[in-house]
Amino acid sequence: MKINNFLTIILIFLFYLSSPAKDANTITIIPKPNEMKIGKGNFVLNPSTKIIYSQGLDKHADFLRDYIKFSHNFNLLITDKITETNKNFIYLNVKDLNSDSEEYELDIQPSKIMISSESPKGVFYGIQTLRQLIHSGKKIQCLKIVDKPRFVYRGMHLDVSRHFMPKEFVKKYIDFLAMYKMNTFHWHLVDDQGWRLEIKKYPKLTEVGAWRVDRGDKTWREREPQKPGEVPTYGGFYTQEEVKDIVKYAADRYITIIPEIEMPGHCLAALTAYPEYSCTGGPFTVPPGTYWPPLEAFCAGNDKTFEFLEDILTETMELFPSKYIHIGGDEVVKTRWKECPKCQERMKKENLKDENELQSYFVKRIEKFLVSKGRKLIGWDEILEGGLAPEATVMSWRGTIGGIEAAKAGHDVIMTPTSYCYFDYYQGNLELEPIAIGGYLPLTKVYQFEPIPEELSNEEAKHILGAQGNVWAEFIPTTTHAEYMVFPRIAAMAEVVWTNKNLKDLKDFMSRLAHHTKLLDDLKINYAKSMYDVKITSILDTIKKQVKVEMSTEALNPDIRYTLDGTEPTKKSPKYKEPFILKKSAKIHAINFYDKNKKSKESTTEIVLHKGIASIVTNINYDKKRYIAKGLYNIVDGVRGSLNQNDGKWQGVQGNDFFATIDLGEVKNIKKVSIGFLQNYHFSIFLPRDLEVLTSLDGKEFKSVGKVQNTIPIDEKKIFVKDLSCDINDKARFIQIKASNIGVNPDTHPDKGFKSWLMFDEIIIE
């Protein structure tokens, strides 16, 4: 008996000795390393731990010491001396100071940690990995990592034209990129709303072009242009000395800054300062918001325009050593070129058949200049129009089609489609998020992005250099708001561009991110908690004519509590366990109590059960490309829309009237018919002029049973939902709805004359 007990103890001891303390799934590094093996035991970090570095890595040692001081308040000794007696140390080792390799090895043993690479850059990336492990605790799991990135281009973009961001924040932003092993910062320095880069030869670019009137009390699209006598006070710019400092700061973190100097469009700030390079001669003012279409562009028929731009690019290249110079090239409205005698003469002289080819001429001429200076041109995918410049690289943003076209033609491509990479889009429940430009890009969708399209062969796929996340700042006025839009989506993008495709796993990523947020908390980063918010989804059963309610979160292991009477849920409210059938109309409220002392924002939705639920919809007029919501059944699914037209609950028609026919399946007594419409003046969404309801017993002969006029002024600027109703008191099987669109925006609208939207959510039949 004693022998058996002794053997049991030995076996248990041997089992624990042979089993690692953790498995790979408990290591919460972002981006996920491409090769990792868990070892036995732990390295214990303490105040006596030394940081030893090989020649040329003194800055790396300083970085690591600062990280550890921040995490654990240990001010470790750093030295370039290593002896055989050294124990309890972290060793940074580089093999070739001139190498550009991005691969590194991280070997954590009980007595030491070794970070090795062919290059200083690789050692720096190894430090970023160790940094995350150290922040999790003083006891660091023994393991070995051999890691390198999937893509050579791993980028983030920041727009500082719409809202100037101070130098200190730009440096902080660069630190964000470094933490996730990103290597490119695309700096959008100029646009219509502001010129941010000092150019000594043209001082008015910053004296005039960097400033606009302050309209911060109004939303971006309702801001009136500068009036006579108003003094522009809102803006800012970076001096050349500040830029040099930022460029060096980035280089110390192995990040290349690509400056963007927009041309030939998006240049109104420059033309305000120097109107002689426009087609009309001005005068202009720097716009405080966006007005569509952006008509002004650099005059392509004036040789002095190119001298002006070449001078600007020359000073830009003196500041930025990057291989690439970004020239924009997007959203060029050709109206001025069509009306400009110089541009038309240029087209005739160069034998250009249209203004698209004139844009191609413009881009090719600028590219020739950049190539002569040893640089490469990169631009948005519109530079494909009219023919791509010979050595240009394309940044594909309007989906992936432009990137596919460029790659097939042998051009390098950076993938940054709006649907996966635009971080100015909403990332959670639209009614819970700060106002954004539109769109919907949750964290999980960013993670699912695959930069290499299936349409490309293996050879063509080599031209996909990588991807980047874009942060356009029209609706991002502050640095804390910028952080909110970037985090945690930057973590997902980092894994997209670093980690091998076959190692990516969404559930695993979300699990690691749950631990990673502790680091974000300690860094005092204002990251979005949208992943914890509850998404309430309705599922329409068209056979049983029922509505099923489903609740979910992006984060794992939620504790969702809900109510159906419009009251705020508490921890004592019913716990959501599985989808359920709604028995009566409800105002659903839900909260995720995801941590001991934390809870999500309160999600709400209203579902109205009425006689038309799941009825057949025919003869409907709605936009089948943009505001399609859930398709034909959207107006009979019981779900009401919010104040945001992009919430997936609204359908719309532009410029035309709305009409639809509802088949109830049988004759029913109808008392009232209502339909909800949205008014959002600044997005060209208006209530209808009137609503008419017609009924029929057979679907052939219809009679008008009610008509109501809209009495709210067309220029009402508040955003609201309005139900227009008709009392019926009739029997009918078929109900026809007609609502008349105002047609075009009123003359008081910034986009006057453009087709207006009519948007509707639900036809409620009582």
Side-chain angles (χ1 to χ4, degrees), residues 163-166 169 234 473 475-484 526:
H163 294 284
F164 178 72
M165 306 280 180
F169 177 74
Y234 185 89
F475 292 82
I476 305 175
T478 66
T479 57
T480 53
H481 193 168
E483 289 180 15
Y484 183 92
N526 183 37

Side-chain angles (χ1 to χ4, degrees), residues 20-218:
K22 299 182 180 181
D23 61 35
N25 292 327
T26 64
I27 305 299
T28 60
I29 301 165
I30 297 175
K32 186 176 185 178
N34 285 298
E35 186 179 325
M36 180 168 63
K37 181 181 289 187
I38 304 299
K40 302 170 186 175
N42 302 282
F43 176 90
V44 180
L45 187 71
N46 60 54
S48 299
T49 303
K50 292 184 179 66
I51 299 174
I52 304 172
Y53 62 91
S54 62
Q55 183 182 2
L57 297 181
D58 49 327
K59 287 184 179 179
H60 296 63
D62 288 339
F63 279 132
L64 181 57
R65 177 180 59 186
D66 290 346
Y67 294 152
I68 293 172
K69 184 172 177 59
F70 172 78
S71 297
H72 301 297
N73 201 30
F74 297 160
N75 193 16
L76 301 187
L77 175 69
I78 59 175
T79 177
D80 59 356
K81 307 296 183 184
I82 185 168
T83 68
E84 293 182 2
T85 59
N86 279 138
K87 291 183 179 180
N88 185 26
F89 66 95
I90 303 171
Y91 183 44
L92 310 179
N93 182 40
V94 66
K95 298 176 184 177
D96 183 356
L97 290 174
N98 297 314
S99 171
D100 199 42
S101 170
E102 294 189 301
E103 184 173 355
Y104 70 91
E105 290 186 11
L106 171 61
D107 187 4
I108 301 176
Q109 301 175 18
S111 61
K112 62 184 177 180
I113 296 175
M114 308 277 287
I115 299 177
S116 303
S117 176
E118 289 287 334
S119 74
K121 183 190 297 185
V123 173
F124 185 79
Y125 292 152
I127 290 171
Q128 302 313 308
T129 297
L130 180 60
R131 172 190 184 181
Q132 293 188 37
L133 294 171
I134 286 173
H135 200 85
S136 297
K138 300 170 188 174
K139 189 180 289 187
I140 306 165
Q141 174 67 46
C142 289
L143 53 75
K144 185 171 184 179
I145 289 173
V146 179
D147 199 15
K148 63 180 179 180
R150 180 185 177 195
F151 290 104
V152 297
Y153 186 107
R154 307 179 301 281
M156 282 293 295
H157 157 286
L158 181 65
D159 168 17
V160 296
S161 171
R162 276 51 182 260
H163 294 284
F164 178 72
M165 306 280 180
K167 182 182 78 168
E168 294 72 24
F169 177 74
V170 175
K171 286 185 171 183
K172 187 178 182 183
Y173 196 80
I174 289 167
D175 284 333
F176 297 159
L177 274 63
M179 182 167 68
Y180 292 115
K181 307 184 184 76
M182 289 186 161
N183 63 359
T184 309
F185 171 38
H186 175 179
W187 202 3
H188 189 79
L189 286 160
V190 304
D191 212 298
D192 288 324
Q193 291 80 17
W195 184 284
R196 307 297 177 210
L197 177 63
E198 179 189 26
I199 301 296
K200 293 186 183 295
K201 190 169 183 177
Y202 300 102
K204 286 194 293 184
L205 285 171
T206 47
E207 290 172 1
V208 175
W211 307 94
R212 63 182 191 245
V213 292
D214 191 351
R215 299 279 193 263
D217 59 330
K218 296 180 175 64

Side-chain angles (χ1 to χ4, degrees), residues 683-695:
F683 282 89
S684 302
I685 302 169
F686 298 91
L687 299 183
R689 294 187 189 278
D690 53 54
L691 170 71
E692 183 179 12
V693 178
L694 302 91
T695 60

Side-chain angles (χ1 to χ4, degrees), residues 457-468:
S457 67
N458 290 337
E459 194 62 31
E460 292 164 344
K462 293 178 182 177
H463 288 290
I464 308 299
L465 302 182
Q468 76 175 25

